[in-house]
Amino acid sequence: MKRKWLASAALAASLLAPAAAVQAGTPAYARLSWDGGGDSLGTAIMKNGTVYVPANTLESAGMTVQWDKSRQRADYAGYGRSLAVRIGGTSAVLDGDPVRDMPAPFLYQGQLYLSGRFVVEALEGDSVAWDAKTRVFSAKHLHTYAGFGQTYGGRTYSVVKRTGELFASTGKNGAQVKLADLGSRLYDGVSMEFQPTEGGLLLLTITDNYGEPHLNDHRFALLLKNGAVIRQADVHYWQRFETNAAAYGDHLLLTDGQTLRVIRDGTGAVEQTIDLVKLGGEEGPYFVEGAADDYLLIRPNASGLLTLVDRTTGASVKLYKQLLDAEGQAYATENDVPYHGDELHFVKREGDTLYFEDDSPIAKDSGRLLPYKLPVPAEGGTAGP
């Protein structure tokens, strides 16, 4: 749909200035109110009946700019929004739609100036007004697009912290496409990890580590096929920062902390949904630290006790009871600094034997492998190595 640069008669009249000032381009001010709170007051210019504001307002909102080789065309992009303008041009592109008959951008003292109303529209603001007495152009509810982005495989993946929207773009000036809603805003230490699978899929993990002193870990897992999200899940942990297993064999794993979905690599089909709370016997969320066709390794965030589950029988065992001495068991159940639970971690499997390391500060022989032989005995017995 084409956009036409039209203003109501009242608004057009409100933006007019005396003829002499129009020709000269006279100083003015811009007061902008942002959706996240706070106002900004900066310089503006009244020229030819239009109030212009510095284009770096767009950059302040979180958009990035790319200039062409001639330094005549500027392309801005910001987490789902895009626009392109040309110095002296009366047309532009906003989110892929043409804008006609707009006031021409110009350079002044090395700074690009754009029509204030165009900038407000680009930033999804409203309540545009002009106070002729104070020479103040104002607008409210301008959006910011602060976020985090990372490039992988020729695509730039960007997430808007305020909304949790995930976008992807291809190429330097490629259009942005919305991939997903994460379902939550992001706060602080955002990171992305990309894991290509054997079956040609891509597992994208976005982590938001926030709070003071960064005790919250909100993880978003998205499974992509041919560039599109086909599965996603998220889970919120606190204090502990264990690594969840992402795959075994030709299966992929997605967890929301309460359930685990076992997914066929290549197709993305869900083969099984497992109730982690039922298996573990405690409230979630759970980490999933290891998996195979015959077992799961899960750890409840609250108690922190690594649990081995037999996937065939449903039998389970708390491994600290099997692998640690009396002092180690006391540490696992009584210590709460920096968190509750044991610090057993899976290392490898050889035949029917799983090997673990104890990374606790009281471990007497650091690096020594602790074996546990499958299967898990029924009724959570004590048979082990």
Side-chain angles (χ1 to χ4, degrees):
M1 179 181 69
K2 293 186 176 180
R3 299 172 187 251
K4 189 73 174 176
W5 192 261
L6 297 175
S8 68
L11 181 57
S14 72
L15 294 179
L16 291 177
V22 168
Q23 296 300 320
T26 57
Y29 302 93
R31 177 179 286 114
L32 306 175
S33 297
W34 300 89
D35 62 341
D39 294 347
S40 60
L41 180 64
T43 60
I45 295 176
M46 170 68 82
K47 184 176 181 180
N48 297 334
T50 296
V51 178
Y52 288 82
V53 300
N56 62 14
T57 303
L58 299 169
E59 296 172 70
S60 298
M63 303 183 82
T64 58
V65 60
Q66 293 284 346
W67 287 88
D68 66 359
K69 292 182 179 179
S70 67
R71 297 288 296 182
Q72 296 298 300
R73 174 185 165 118
D75 289 83
Y76 291 84
Y79 311 98
R81 303 291 286 177
S82 64
L83 62 99
V85 298
R86 184 175 294 276
I87 296 173
T90 58
S91 63
V93 178
L94 180 56
D95 292 338
D97 295 330
V99 177
R100 307 295 188 192
D101 302 328
M102 65 170 281
F106 64 88
L107 286 176
Y108 176 69
Q109 294 184 345
Q111 173 65 261
L112 177 64
Y113 279 78
L114 302 175
S115 161
R117 286 180 292 134
F118 179 68
V119 170
V120 172
E121 183 178 359
L123 296 180
E124 305 177 272
D126 55 33
S127 304
V128 174
W130 167 251
D131 188 323
K133 183 177 180 180
T134 60
R135 304 190 63 75
V136 173
F137 171 87
S138 62
K140 297 180 179 179
H141 308 125
L142 278 72
H143 288 193
T144 55
Y145 303 94
F148 178 85
Q150 192 167 324
T151 300
Y152 176 84
R155 305 181 87 193
T156 299
Y157 296 81
S158 307
V159 61
V160 185
K161 289 185 178 181
R162 178 178 56 85
T163 64
E165 295 172 288
L166 177 67
F167 298 89
S169 62
T170 304
K172 180 182 292 186
N173 297 318
Q176 290 189 321
V177 177
K178 183 175 177 178
L179 295 181
D181 283 305
L182 299 184
S184 172
R185 70 175 300 166
L186 285 76
Y187 295 95
D188 199 356
V190 179
S191 61
M192 291 183 179
E193 181 182 2
F194 300 87
Q195 296 174 267
T197 74
E198 294 290 336
L201 305 182
L202 177 65
L203 179 62
L204 167 59
T205 303
I206 301 173
T207 301
D208 182 21
N209 180 238
Y210 65 95
E212 187 58 43
H214 292 267
L215 296 179
N216 294 277
D217 220 29
H218 199 165
R219 303 180 191 178
F220 306 85
L222 301 103
L223 189 62
L224 288 81
K225 182 177 183 179
N226 298 325
V229 175
I230 58 173
R231 305 287 177 198
Q232 68 182 88
D234 72 282
V235 54
H236 174 221
Y237 299 115
W238 64 94
Q239 288 190 300
R240 295 194 77 106
F241 306 101
E242 306 295 346
T243 300
N244 281 329
Y248 73 92
D250 57 357
H251 303 282
L252 306 176
L253 304 173
L254 286 184
T255 183
D256 61 6
Q258 310 295 321
T259 60
L260 170 67
R261 282 181 290 171
V262 181
I263 297 170
R264 173 67 62 176
D265 194 2
T267 67
V270 177
E271 297 191 326
Q272 186 180 8
T273 300
I274 299 172
D275 188 333
L276 298 176
V277 175
K278 183 177 180 179
L279 286 181
E282 301 178 31
E283 290 300 313
Y286 281 78
F287 296 93
V288 179
E289 298 181 27
D293 288 331
D294 54 349
Y295 76 86
L296 286 175
L297 285 168
I298 61 177
R299 186 193 304 270
N301 193 157
S303 71
L305 298 172
L306 188 62
T307 304
L308 176 64
V309 179
D310 189 313
R311 291 182 64 182
T312 302
T313 65
S316 65
V317 62
K318 303 290 187 185
L319 287 170
Y320 81 97
K321 295 181 179 179
Q322 310 299 315
L323 303 180
L324 302 179
D325 59 19
E327 184 180 6
Q329 293 184 33
Y331 176 87
T333 54
E334 299 171 10
N335 180 70
D336 61 0
V337 179
Y339 38 67
H340 296 281
D342 61 67
E343 294 187 38
L344 291 167
H345 293 100
F346 176 65
V347 176
K348 65 178 180 178
R349 176 178 186 168
E350 292 182 353
D352 290 334
T353 302
L354 307 182
Y355 290 89
F356 300 84
E357 280 185 348
D358 180 17
D359 296 324
S360 73
I362 67 168
K364 297 181 176 60
D365 190 0
S366 179
R368 182 171 68 93
L369 295 184
L370 307 173
Y372 185 93
K373 188 173 179 60
L374 295 172
V376 178
E379 306 299 327
T382 59

Coordinates of all heavy atoms in Angstrom, one line a residue, residues 6 12 20 59 75 112 120 122 133 258 364 382:
L6 N 0.5 13.4 3.3 CA -0.6 14.3 3.4 C -0.7 14.7 4.9 O -0.5 13.9 5.8 CB -1.9 13.7 2.9 CG -2.0 13.3 1.4 CD1 -3.3 12.6 1.2 CD2 -1.8 14.5 0.6
A12 N -1.0 21.2 8.9 CA -0.2 21.9 7.9 C -0.1 23.3 8.3 O 1.0 23.9 8.2 CB -0.8 21.7 6.5
A20 N 10.0 34.9 5.8 CA 11.4 35.2 5.9 C 12.1 34.0 6.6 O 13.2 33.5 6.1 CB 11.7 36.5 6.7
E59 N 18.9 6.9 15.3 CA 20.0 6.1 15.9 C 19.9 6.1 17.4 O 20.2 5.0 18.1 CB 21.4 6.6 15.5 CG 21.6 6.5 14.0 CD 22.9 7.2 13.6 OE1 24.0 6.7 13.9 OE2 22.7 8.3 12.9
D75 N 20.2 4.3 4.7 CA 19.2 3.3 5.0 C 19.3 3.0 6.5 O 20.4 2.8 7.0 CB 19.6 2.0 4.2 CG 19.3 2.1 2.8 OD1 20.1 2.6 2.0 OD2 18.2 1.6 2.4
L112 N 22.5 15.0 8.9 CA 21.4 14.8 8.1 C 20.1 15.3 8.9 O 19.9 14.9 10.0 CB 21.2 13.4 7.7 CG 20.0 13.0 6.9 CD1 20.0 13.7 5.5 CD2 19.9 11.5 6.7
V120 N 8.8 10.9 13.4 CA 7.8 10.4 14.4 C 7.0 9.2 13.9 O 6.8 8.3 14.6 CB 6.8 11.6 14.7 CG1 5.7 11.1 15.6 CG2 7.5 12.7 15.5
A122 N 8.1 7.1 11.6 CA 9.1 6.0 11.6 C 9.3 5.3 12.9 O 9.4 4.1 13.0 CB 10.4 6.4 11.0
K133 N 4.9 30.1 19.4 CA 5.5 31.1 20.3 C 6.8 30.6 20.9 O 7.8 31.4 20.9 CB 4.5 31.3 21.5 CG 5.0 32.4 22.5 CD 3.9 32.6 23.5 CE 4.4 33.7 24.5 NZ 3.3 33.9 25.6
Q258 N 9.4 -27.6 32.8 CA 8.3 -28.5 33.3 C 8.2 -29.7 32.5 O 8.0 -30.8 33.0 CB 7.0 -27.8 33.4 CG 7.0 -26.4 34.0 CD 7.4 -26.4 35.5 OE1 7.0 -27.3 36.2 NE2 8.2 -25.5 35.9
K364 N 37.7 -34.4 47.0 CA 39.1 -34.7 47.5 C 40.0 -35.1 46.3 O 41.2 -34.9 46.4 CB 39.0 -35.9 48.5 CG 38.3 -35.6 49.7 CD 38.3 -36.8 50.7 CE 37.6 -36.5 52.0 NZ 36.2 -36.1 51.9
T382 N 19.6 -48.7 45.7 CA 20.9 -48.2 45.9 C 22.0 -48.9 45.1 O 23.1 -48.6 45.3 CB 21.3 -48.3 47.4 OG1 21.2 -49.6 47.8 CG2 20.3 -47.4 48.3

